[in-house]
Amino acid sequence: MTTPPSRDLTVTEVRLTPILVADPPLLNTQGVHQPYTPRLIVEVVTADGTTGLGETYGDTKYLDLARPLADRLVGRRAGDLNRLFTEADAVAVDADQVSGKVDVGGLRGVQTADKLRLSVLSALEVACLDALGKSLGLPVHALLGGKVRDTVDYSAYLFYKWAGHPEGVRAEKDDWGAALDPAGVVAQARTFTERYGFTSFKLKGGVFPPDEEIAAVRALAAAFPGHPLRLDPNGAWSVETSLKVAGELGDVLEYLEDPALGTPAMAEVAARTGVPLATNMCVTTFAEIKEAFTRDAVQVVLSDHHYWGGLRNTQQLAAVCRTFGVGVSMHSNTHLGISLAAMTHVAATVPNLHHACDSHYPWQSEDVLTERLTFENGAVRVSDAPGLGVELDRDRLAALHRRWLDDDGTLRDRDDAAAMRVAHPEWETPAVPRW
Ligand SMILES: [Mg+2]
């Protein structure tokens, strides 16, 4: 009998590094992306000298929770995650952050204490799985039960956008140009296919009156006949407007994403159209599933391991969806390569993932990795290297952290409406439904 090598996977340190990462002027119903957006990079160090990586939102409300939650991880084994999640309920959340607030930056439903905690725990979980995988010589997908596919499909995430951030604002330049009408959207889609090989397309809507966005999707359908198309106005439409758009685009849409806000409105739309509805706004926690599924309000749930609480919770969500015959795919917010790697590992383990996942990654020109992840034919190859299969570039991390340190506080909390007011001082977050 051989004795297994001894590996001390006790967590000895958790390093938390907030950064600001360049973001192009992408438009949504709330406003426009800031020139730099906050992210938090997590490093979990174990006693055997292994370092695992995680990534999540970097706004102040997450940073405030990250230190007390990280302190609860120190001294535990990296594999002692279930108890960490259970005991995290004891970590207090500032009541101001959750009193009926709708999350403004991420457009992902109502803010709750649980969702805030889970958004931080997810980064700790991913970092622990990365450390475990590295130490054991196993890829993260193997720790999750193993991959059922070797590549994970992603969709091109199209945005209405300005050519650049407002004059006089410190920002990185991008080479995508403007996209403010159907021709601009189609040109952007062509660039996505040329650079990354994407074959399905999602347009972030809720920016212009619905007729203009219908025209943009029609133009995409003409330019890419037969390809799956999606439109996501982030709940900006009334039930009647949602039904009008569904009626006009039903023949070309793979699904319509959050046309109206909240489960009752989505249920009403769903009852009166055959176009499948997807959501990352009315089903964002396990507690919200029962009402939405029993009312048949959504046909596809877009998971997001950040706010669902990590990779294992994502697998559990997928299992619930399978039970109810609801489809599953993946939502994305601005993120870097650590999260893309985590998304790809968990997506590779979900048998019932039948739609291409969303990813902002092509919009992010900066990363903290030694090597960027790549899309081939619109897909990311699932890594079989130990852990997530990515490596931290400490110089890049330090430079992006320096930018965060140098910021006077205006960019440390993402606020798309405030970013819009730089160009349009009269801008106010639109009342919903906007149309
Ligand atoms: Mg969405």
Side-chain angles (χ1 to χ4, degrees):
M1 201 171 123
T2 52
T3 309
S6 99
R7 297 184 182 89
D8 189 349
L9 289 165
T10 305
V11 175
T12 55
E13 185 187 358
V14 181
R15 288 195 283 267
L16 303 171
T17 311
I19 60 174
L20 281 174
V21 60
D23 211 8
L26 308 179
L27 300 165
N28 58 44
T29 202
Q30 302 262 355
V32 62
H33 286 208
Q34 298 179 167
Y36 301 98
T37 205
R39 297 293 287 172
L40 174 65
I41 304 301
V42 172
E43 295 170 79
V44 165
V45 184
T46 55
D48 70 348
T50 309
T51 300
L53 302 174
E55 173 195 342
T56 191
Y57 308 100
D59 308 68
T60 310
K61 61 192 173 194
Y62 301 103
L63 301 185
D64 287 348
L65 273 176
R67 183 38 65 193
L69 287 171
D71 287 347
R72 282 177 177 259
L73 181 59
V74 174
R76 292 173 193 267
R77 311 262 296 181
D80 188 21
L81 290 166
N82 292 330
R83 208 154 34 185
L84 172 72
F85 273 57
T86 308
E87 294 175 10
D89 290 347
V91 173
V93 172
D94 182 352
D96 277 357
Q97 299 289 4
V98 291
S99 48
K101 280 191 180 174
V102 172
D103 179 85
V104 288
L107 301 156
R108 53 185 183 270
V110 175
Q111 192 75 85
T112 65
D114 202 29
K115 221 189 301 187
L116 279 178
R117 285 192 204 94
L118 289 173
S119 299
V120 175
L121 287 168
S122 64
L124 298 175
E125 185 227 43
V126 167
C128 284
L129 292 173
D130 186 33
L132 282 171
K134 282 174 177 163
S135 186
L136 299 170
L138 293 170
V140 165
H141 69 73
L143 300 178
L144 299 171
K147 61 183 179 179
V148 295
R149 55 183 68 83
D150 295 319
T151 58
V152 171
D153 289 338
Y154 287 86
S155 65
Y157 202 158
L158 312 178
F159 278 84
Y160 290 110
K161 82 178 276 292
W162 297 331
H165 285 284
E167 201 71 31
V169 169
R170 185 171 60 95
E172 310 304 312
K173 293 206 181 327
D174 72 75
D175 64 356
W176 288 85
L180 296 165
D181 55 23
V185 169
V186 169
Q188 189 185 91
R190 288 201 192 286
T191 306
F192 265 107
T193 60
E194 283 159 18
R195 292 184 182 178
Y196 308 106
F198 292 118
T199 56
S200 66
F201 303 91
K202 162 176 167 172
L203 175 62
K204 174 61 73 181
V207 175
F208 293 116
D211 283 347
E212 292 183 41
E213 301 188 350
I214 289 169
V217 173
R218 278 277 157 217
L220 284 170
F224 302 95
H227 288 252
L229 304 177
R230 313 157 181 178
L231 178 58
D232 173 18
N234 283 113
W237 302 334
S238 67
V239 168
E240 292 308 321
T241 301
S242 301
L243 288 167
K244 175 182 181 294
V245 176
E248 294 203 28
L249 293 178
D251 59 322
V252 295
L253 285 181
E254 178 185 15
Y255 53 69
L256 193 53
E257 183 173 331
D258 287 307
L261 200 60
T263 292
M266 289 284 280
E268 210 180 324
V269 177
R272 293 164 62 190
T273 178
V275 177
L277 303 187
T279 188
N280 67 278
M281 296 183 77
C282 70
V283 180
T284 58
T285 62
F286 286 99
E288 290 165 330
I289 288 175
K290 185 177 176 185
E291 185 193 358
F293 285 15
T294 52
R295 295 182 70 169
D296 200 18
V298 297
Q299 288 69 54
V300 180
V301 172
L302 305 171
S303 71
D304 182 315
H305 77 270
H306 300 94
Y307 57 75
W308 279 91
L311 308 188
R312 295 165 313 129
N313 275 8
T314 301
Q315 289 182 306
Q316 289 179 22
L317 167 63
V320 176
C321 288
R322 191 172 61 215
T323 307
F324 282 84
V326 171
V328 64
S329 186
M330 209 173 275
H331 163 260
S332 156
N333 208 315
T334 302
H335 66 86
L336 300 178
I338 296 170
S339 279
L340 182 61
M343 290 158 69
T344 302
H345 276 277
V346 70
T349 71
V350 173
N352 52 316
L353 192 136
H354 299 309
H355 305 274
C357 301
D358 291 338
S359 173
H360 279 65
Y361 193 61
W363 292 114
Q364 263 50 70
S365 57
E366 299 178 329
D367 205 342
V368 295
L369 301 180
T370 53
E371 216 176 303
R372 278 184 74 87
L373 277 74
T374 55
F375 297 92
E376 271 175 55
N377 301 319
V380 175
R381 181 153 289 284
V382 182
S383 169
D384 290 318
L388 292 171
V390 298
E391 202 181 319
L392 191 62
D393 181 331
R394 297 207 161 274
D395 293 338
R396 291 302 304 150
L397 180 68
L400 300 184
H401 179 53
R402 170 55 57 192
R403 186 188 282 152
W404 184 89
L405 288 172
D406 289 345
D407 181 65
D408 61 7
T410 53
L411 298 174
R412 289 185 184 182
D413 292 289
R414 181 176 157 182
D415 187 338
D416 294 1
M420 180 61 97
R421 278 192 288 275
V422 174
H424 299 282
E426 75 291 353
W427 179 263
E428 285 177 30
T429 304
V432 174
R434 192 170 170 189
W435 288 286

